[in-house]
Structures are given as structure tokens and as C-alpha cells.
Amino acid sequence: MTADCPTPHHEDERVLLGHGAGGRLTAELLDTLVLPALDGGAGAMEDAALIPGHGDLVVSTDSFVVSPLFFPGGDIGSLAVHGTVNDLAMRGAWPLALTVSLIIEEGLPLPELRSLLTSLGKAARAAEVPVVTGDTKVVGRGAADKLFINTTGIGRRHSALRPSAALARPGDVILLSGPIGLHGTTILSTREGLGFDSDIASDSRPLHHLVRTLAPLGTDVHALRDPTRGGLAASLNEIARDSSVSVEIAEGSLPVPTPVAAACDLLGLDPLTVANEGCLVAFVAPTAADSALTALRSRPEGYAAQRIGEVLPDGTPGRVVLSTLVGSRRVVDMPLGEQLPRIC
């Protein structure tokens, strides 16, 4: 006589905050659910896509759910403009138009909404991109967290620039346009009342003027990415994966502001995985590295640009390695999820 073993019971799978964090959980969600449902093809996962049949036009869409709505250095309104403009810029595109859709929770004070929309409009005018259409919805109390903003951007690529996450090559020099970790630590400090926000502010700003300075280098600019969700670690892993190359960066070259380093040490965070909103990482041909660095430093938003690493001529494809200050080397993994949810 044999006994039948009961079938193991599994709870229904659920969406987690980490699925929207830009790390491995996001990739799993895209690969197993989103892309198959939408007939998405294989290829590099870019910040913005070329419009079929219009080779020079680029489109990007993004949703902003940051908490809190206001923070040192910005707010959800200006962040929505900057984030979308930057996604277009990472494909070498100049913004032509934006759409803005609002999902407002019942009970949001009108003065707050007015302030946020004023900030959004000011950011769009400063970026020289018109808001051409949009939509407004109001949901019941508890159905949203005060305000969510969705934006779509249309841009036109510079004639000389064709960057892609799939175009990094062995020998490429890796440049970073500015300090890392400012946005994420600012949001966390403001949200939790930790007090670090008296020393730091978000780096939220548009980067399309900075990218334009690289246009004279043309196709020597192989890949661009703004390290937002998942931080620099996620961006480097995405490019290494999509280009099938091995990347090495030097810890001593990473520009981590002292208040950010202190906050990360106290909270057990890795600055490499903390979100940014005002810097970019560029993979450029070695012969163009010095010119690219000079071009980035010519703009206020790139004055602190520096070389942080290179693409190895050999090594494990898709792997990112950090050369540490003590002379060792460690693998920099793609973050599983976002250490700090609701960051953008």
C-alpha cells in the first residue's frame, strides 16, 4: 500500500515593489509577462525607441510615482520633465514635444497641485520642449498616493549620434558625467526624516544639452545611459548584457559625495545601486575619450565628469567588475530590486 503525497501548495504569485525597480525582478517581469503579451521582440532594452518608418524620430514614455512629492532639489513635476527628456537624450535625441497625464487622488490640496504643475511647466520651458497634450483623472481616496504623473516624449536624433546599449565594444572607455547617489539618498532622507537632506539635494536636471556636446564625436559615442532606478550598477549591467562585453570600473574613480557616502554607510546602502537623475554614463571609443571628457566638462552639468573604467578585451560577457581601493576585484551584480522604492 502506498501513500499519496499531497501536492505542495503555493500561494498565488503577486507583484512586488521590486518588480518596478529596474533590477532583476523588473527584467523577469518584462521577459516572462509583459513582452510576450505585447509580442515584444528580442534585442536591447533601451531608454527610448525608434519610431518604425521614421528613422530619426524617437519616443519614450515614463510614469512618476515618487514619494514625497517635494524634495530638496526638485519635485515630482520637474522630475517628470527631466526624466523623459533624459531618456530621449540617451538615444542621442533632442526633445520635440511632451504629453502629460495626471492621476490625482481625491483630497490633494489644490495649492500643492498648482505648485507642482507650475514647476512642471517651468522645467518644460527651461528644456525648450512644449507640452502639447495630456489627460487628467481623479481617483478616490486611497486609490493612489496623492499624485502620479505619466509623460511621453517625442524627440529627433542628432544626425551624427547613434548610441545604443548594444553597441559597447572591447576597448571602450567609460565616462561618468557627475557624482552618484544624490537623488536616492535625498529622497530617502526626506521621506524618512533622517536629516541628511540638509547636506544634499537631488541632482534632477535635463541632460540633452550635455549630450549635444558629444555630437561632433559621432559614432565614436557607442552607448549612453542615465543611471536612474538601480543606479550605476544597473546601467552598467544592462549595457554589458546587451553588448555582450565585460566591464571593469575603478572604485577610486567613482565620484561619491561625502554626505552620500556617509548616508550609505549608516543605512547599509551601496552607492552604486542608488538612483540618480542628473548624470549619464558614456561608452566611447578610446581614441575619442579625451575629447568626450573635455566636451562633458564644458557644460555645468558635466563639470565633474571623469573616466571610471573600460570595456575589457576579454572576460566574461555581461559581467561588471569593480577594482577596489585595496587592490581586489569584486563582481557588481544587477540589483535584485530597488533598495529605495518610489524613487522616481
Side-chain angles (χ1 to χ4, degrees), residues 103-121:
I103 299 177
I104 309 167
E105 182 185 15
E106 179 187 17
L108 178 68
L110 285 176
E112 287 190 25
L113 180 60
R114 182 177 297 109
S115 177
L116 292 167
L117 292 179
T118 299
S119 177
L120 189 154

Side-chain angles (χ1 to χ4, degrees), residues 80-81 84-85 88 95-100 124 129-133 151-154:
V81 173
T84 307
V85 166
L88 295 173
L96 298 177
L98 290 179
T99 74
V100 174
V129 56
V131 176
V132 295
T133 190
T151 52
T152 295
I154 301 292

Side-chain angles (χ1 to χ4, degrees), residues 212-236:
R212 177 170 273 188
T213 68
L214 299 175
L217 302 178
T219 55
D220 282 337
V221 180
H222 296 159
L224 297 172
R225 187 60 62 96
D226 59 330
T228 53
R229 295 176 304 169
L232 184 60
S235 293
L236 293 176

Side-chain angles (χ1 to χ4, degrees), residues 165 168 233-248 311-312 314-321 331-334:
S235 293
L236 293 176
N237 271 279
E238 288 165 354
I239 293 174
R241 175 198 66 203
D242 292 341
S243 296
S244 296
V245 296
S246 180
V247 167
E248 181 169 325
V311 178
L312 301 176
D314 50 22
T316 304
R319 176 170 290 180
V320 178
V321 175
V331 174
V332 178
D333 287 321
M334 172 71 84

